[in-house]
Amino acid sequence: MAEYTPKYVGTVTKYVFVESPTMTPGELALRAYEASEGVLIKETCFGLQVTGEPEAVDRLIEEIRSFDPTHIFVKDRGFPPGDPRRCRANLGGARPGYLGHEREFRILRYITRGLEELGRGEVREEEPASPARRKRSLLDIKRLQELIDTEEP
Amino acid sequence: MSDRKVRIAQLSCGAEYSGVQKEIYEAAESVGAEVFFPDIALADVERAVKKFGLDVKSADLKLMIARALALVEGKVEADGVFIGTCFRCAEAAIVRNELRRYIPEHSKLSVVSYSFTERTTAGTLLTRMEALTTIARRRALLAREEQTGITMGIDSGSSTTKAVVMKDNVIVGTGWHPTTEVIKSAESAVADALAMAGLAREDIQAIGTTGYGRFLIGKHFGAQLIQEELTVNSKGAVYLAGHQRGSATVIDIGGMDNKAISVIDGIPGTFTMGGICAGASGRFLEMTAKRLGVDITELGPLAMKGIGKNVPMNSYCIVFGTQSLVNALAAGSSPEDVAAAACHSVAEQVFEQQLQEVDIKEPVIMVGGTSLIEGLVYAMGQLLQTEIVVPHHSQYIGAVGSALLASGFIKGE
Amino acid sequence: MAKVFIYPATSLILSDLVARFGHKPLGAALGIRERIQTAGVDSPPLQITPEDPKRGLKYAAVEVPSGVRGRMAIYGPLIEEADAAIIVTEADLAFGCMGCARTDELILFSLRQSGIPILELEYPRDEEEGIRFVAAVKKFLDGLPKEESNKEGEA
């Protein structure tokens, strides 16, 4: 069996997603290239993949985030870009992780809203730390009695 | 037949995380097929799960369901389907079973399903993948319902080697030898079959081989057709049983592994192969016959005179189960009862572990050497509550199927 | 900077927020990256190496399906390494690394057993919930130590 010699050793790859009314993935890529300084940039349908030395990637990410802080989102990726093991062209279909991104992409606008609110410093301190789902309140005993009464023949 | 790669859609949960995805790729590649994952979007997953109506919790199982529906609805094209999930996962087993039932019912796609462990290798998957590709690639050949000309089929099995000579749709010669040295045993079986047919090697217009030694003997005899036993046996079974159209179920309890095949118009729809436990194989019955001091051919009639229930058996295992039989003999059980219990044990294990994986449609046809053990056929019939069909020459099933299909290779055909 | 295990471990939102607010997200990508970048005598790993289901025996017994053990070989060391965790419950459409419900149950249990601070919340369904979601995550992360964690995982 062939020995496995990995590529891109010591690098990190990050996904950059842009969900913005003012910036397209293409524009994002253009601006990122200008700031890339040797970091490998690959444009995707949702944004970018950036690959390089960890410090260089961190620097670039910081720069990229500053383009549009509340509309740009970043996440680590295990595989380097274009890896045949994950590539849609080789698998015949999207890798499962892509659908997971789709799931979260739908609600990014709510996160954006949350970040904007934070920026305005308008989050009230008394907000509950954990936004537990609003529970359906129990039926009042008096109301129950009323309901029973109305059901009487 | 084209050289285009056969495209097998993979529907699975846990293959990568069990470390067996590479094995799946390898098995497919070695039979000229490629595995792919049907492309769908998140909305398809949500819609498909709702439509299919099976509310599983694991997202990758939902993905399996959505991919299956994309295939059935024709949104994604494939030549065959491989369904695989982790062994011992109940949630996945339910999805796997329902999909392998659903897909052939709603499409023309053939399905093979398998539950893997981290130990599953490409070798284990090979015959299954080969059958899938054969069905896709050789549909026209598999449609053949009559043998023409003079052809020979050789089945190089793990226990025995069988050869059959056929002429104008009639079996004119048979040969049977225990498999010792693969080629030598095949030579002997072939010589016997030719002698019985009164023909010479030169008279044979085409040769087909099957069974474990198919590649080796195929090369040795210059066979035109070298084919795994799943498709060959199902073809042979419905041919001999005179049931080439419609659905049927073929059960072949072999020396080393078992096949249960749900056949539609002579072509396997779903099938399973078991091969892990010797207790569910012909070996177990051989051991029992030896213990009882009878020939294997006498075991069946003996079992028919006994009542299996009279012998307590603690295990299906060839070691511990046989021990139960020995204990029963020592405690005064009759050889008839012991023979019946052994037959019941093998039938029951095949029933519990394999026949649940295919849809049993009548007629149920039993083939292979073990189909001559009437006690075993009886026990299986009892479990399935049906009259089992054992066609003539059933022990030569692979050889007959090969000879039948080989006639498609006669020049001028 | 605290190491914060994120659940779903493939979450873009959590990975982003944890890093954005100055901490290190521990997610599936880190475990995968480590395997992808390690040379081996075997052919390239597909997510995990063929050895991983055996390594996973540390986190789940042999009768647990191989896919659970293989996944736990990724997550087990990350959970051991984590200083805190953020959990989005009802994350029912996380595929691949998170696609097995049984593994997910085991991950959540392991996190809750570990005694580290945990924030549990649900995905926001509207803007109002989005505001509360981000605020809650920020508040939780602000309460974690800023200095580099020296907690070592057994990778």
Side-chain angles (χ1 to χ4, degrees), chain B residues 292-357:
Chain B
L292 292 173
V294 299
D295 189 76
I296 184 73
T297 55
E298 296 166 48
L299 188 74
L302 197 63
M304 292 303 284
K305 288 184 226 146
I307 297 166
K309 276 188 201 138
N310 292 346
V311 177
M313 284 197 64
N314 299 326
S315 167
Y316 292 135
C317 172
I318 197 160
V319 177
F320 301 113
T322 310
Q323 195 57 47
S324 293
L325 296 179
V326 174
N327 291 345
L329 282 172
S333 285
S334 73
E336 288 83 0
D337 287 353
V338 166
C343 288
H344 180 78
S345 175
V346 171
E348 193 175 53
Q349 194 184 175
V350 173
F351 174 74
E352 282 179 3
Q353 297 185 359
Q354 279 193 276
L355 298 183
Q356 311 304 323
E357 298 263 319

Side-chain angles (χ1 to χ4, degrees), chain B residues 3 69 90 155 177 180 206 209 218 227 232 258 283 286 314 353:
Chain B
D3 289 321
L69 261 63
D155 178 0
H177 275 263
T180 47
T209 63
Q227 199 63 64
V232 169
N258 311 310
R283 278 287 184 237
E286 269 178 17
N314 299 326
Q353 297 185 359

Side-chain angles (χ1 to χ4, degrees), chain B residues 236-237 239-242 365-367 371-372 389-395 397:
Chain B
Y239 169 76
L240 287 179
I365 308 166
M366 266 179 89
V367 293
S371 65
L372 299 183
V389 178
V390 179
H392 65 92
H393 293 93
S394 67
Q395 72 275 37
I397 200 71

Side-chain angles (χ1 to χ4, degrees), chain B residues 69-147:
Chain B
L69 261 63
L71 290 168
V72 164
E73 290 166 358
K75 288 177 183 157
V76 176
E77 283 191 11
D79 299 316
V81 185
F82 173 79
I83 305 181
T85 59
C86 295
F87 178 59
R88 287 191 177 122
C89 176
E91 189 187 25
I94 290 170
V95 176
R96 186 164 51 83
N97 276 312
E98 293 311 322
L99 289 182
R100 66 114 188 102
R101 214 193 307 265
Y102 180 82
I103 295 169
E105 265 175 25
H106 293 85
S107 72
K108 284 214 170 275
L109 290 165
S110 291
V111 175
V112 56
S113 86
Y114 193 73
S115 61
F116 45 74
T117 70
E118 66 266 37
R119 293 178 185 278
T120 298
T121 61
T124 320
L125 301 169
L126 180 72
T127 303
R128 295 167 174 88
M129 287 290 187
E130 194 185 345
L132 260 188
T133 53
T134 304
I135 297 160
R137 202 168 252 160
R138 294 185 158 158
R139 225 167 234 283
L141 179 73
L142 293 177
R144 169 167 291 274
E145 293 185 354
E146 268 193 25
Q147 187 274 343

